[in-house]
Amino acid sequence: MKGRIHSIESMGLVDGPGIRTVVFLQGCKLRCLYCHNPDTWTMGGGTQVEASDLIKKIKRYRPYFEKSGGGVTFSGGEPLLQPEFLLESLKACRELGIHTALDTAGYGFGEYEEILKYTDLVLFDIKHEDPKQYLFIAGQKEDKSLKFLEAVQNAGTKMWIRHVVVPGITDSEEHIVQLAKKIKTLQNVEKIELLPYHSMGENKYEVMNIKYKLEGVEQMDRKRTLELTALLHRELGQDFIERTDHRTESTTLHRIG
């Protein structure tokens, strides 16, 4: 089975537990305002690769996975847009005993139940809890994302929640309170991270001659992001604790127990 890959990061440290190989699959139907990889959008881009050849590359890093509790994260783009290739790769990783994670906004073509059988962790990107704001941010309705989220809940797959905080769009306290309410409806959430908006991908839009819709928006203040994380913690209650990574200067919420 062949798939299209944008790139591979061999020693990732932020996309799941431990040291990870992060496979960025090509193609995405969303057009998020803050996307820093517009070069992943087209389905026909990237490099065509056999799943078996990809697994050979991944196997080289098994010693690092085993020592650190790491594994493989399939990201994008949107990995769910290549379900057959993704599934074959996930199955091969499972056979090798390699931990698998899926970094996704949940906007795919289906086959979720089968895909989730071979997925140990879902890193789920919540764009917004309000349908109108979701459409504004992502350029698509949230319907497909909700179907995937339902499949994750049915499968009981562990989840990490990610949410990008953008000045003037998702940085209000009222929004964070509503976000907490949405997260409370979800089962098996182990970790939550608020990601401060940055504009590091803006130059790619210039090269590709695409208008950058957040031009002029300042990068999110990290101190304010920490304050909003503390608010989110208060809203979620005592089931979570705050942990600070001094290496990345970020604070995340972790479920107790």
Side-chain angles (χ1 to χ4, degrees):
M1 171 61 67
K2 292 183 178 181
R4 289 195 169 272
I5 292 176
H6 172 267
S7 56
I8 298 175
E9 181 181 355
S10 58
M11 302 289 278
L13 296 173
V14 297
D15 297 305
I19 296 173
R20 310 190 71 79
T21 294
V22 185
V23 182
F24 296 91
L25 273 65
Q26 185 71 26
C28 186
K29 297 296 184 182
L30 302 182
R31 295 294 181 267
C32 299
L33 298 177
Y34 44 73
C35 178
H36 55 271
N37 286 317
D39 46 337
T40 67
W41 290 350
T42 61
M43 293 299 298
T47 303
Q48 196 171 56
V49 176
E50 284 281 356
S52 57
D53 291 332
L54 173 62
I55 298 303
K56 289 178 183 178
K57 291 182 180 180
I58 291 172
K59 285 170 64 176
R60 300 174 190 168
Y61 300 96
R62 287 180 71 184
Y64 296 99
F65 302 158
E66 292 168 358
K67 289 180 180 179
S68 67
V72 181
T73 299
F74 292 93
S75 185
E78 173 51 75
L80 293 174
L81 291 180
Q82 298 188 56
E84 294 88 359
F85 177 76
L86 175 63
L87 183 57
E88 183 171 330
S89 301
L90 287 169
K91 285 182 176 179
C93 288
R94 176 63 59 83
E95 289 175 0
L96 292 168
I98 297 174
H99 181 276
T100 57
L102 193 59
D103 182 9
T104 177
Y107 206 88
F109 289 139
E111 298 187 38
Y112 301 145
E113 182 178 351
E114 190 67 14
I115 287 171
L116 290 168
K117 285 181 182 178
Y118 303 94
T119 302
D120 297 307
L121 174 68
V122 171
L123 312 178
F124 189 73
D125 181 7
I126 295 181
K127 306 297 182 183
H128 205 286
E129 86 287 341
D130 178 77
K132 291 183 180 179
Q133 288 298 310
Y134 185 103
L135 177 61
F136 170 71
I137 291 171
Q140 297 281 0
K141 293 182 179 180
E142 66 173 346
D143 303 29
K144 288 188 176 181
S145 179
L146 293 177
K147 287 182 180 179
F148 174 76
L149 194 55
E150 181 180 4
V152 174
Q153 296 296 282
N154 291 337
T157 310
K158 296 177 181 178
M159 298 180 68
W160 289 9
I161 300 295
R162 290 167 154 180
H163 180 65
V164 180
V165 184
V166 184
I169 300 177
T170 55
D171 65 337
S172 72
E173 294 187 0
E174 293 80 6
H175 165 66
I176 296 300
V177 170
Q178 293 303 313
L179 177 65
K181 290 180 179 178
K182 182 178 181 66
I183 293 173
K184 284 181 178 179
T185 68
L186 303 176
Q187 303 296 318
N188 303 312
V189 175
E190 292 191 332
K191 178 179 175 180
I192 306 163
E193 183 173 14
L194 297 184
L195 302 170
Y197 161 74
H198 64 75
S199 58
M200 288 188 289
E202 188 171 354
N203 64 308
K204 293 184 180 180
Y205 287 80
E206 296 177 8
V207 172
M208 298 176 67
N209 197 29
I210 301 174
K211 179 177 175 56
Y212 187 64
K213 296 180 181 179
L214 293 182
E215 183 178 357
V217 175
E218 294 187 1
Q219 298 192 91
M220 186 64 197
D221 180 71
R222 286 190 174 273
K223 181 179 179 181
R224 180 55 178 162
T225 304
L226 292 177
E227 293 172 350
L228 293 174
T229 299
L231 171 61
L232 182 60
H233 185 198
R234 291 195 297 272
E235 291 296 319
L236 290 172
Q238 298 180 351
D239 289 340
F240 289 85
I241 59 172
E242 294 183 28
R243 291 180 184 169
T244 299
D245 185 335
H246 297 289
R247 177 179 53 84
T248 61
E249 297 183 348
S250 63
T251 296
T252 53
L253 304 181
H254 296 253
R255 185 178 293 277
I256 299 172

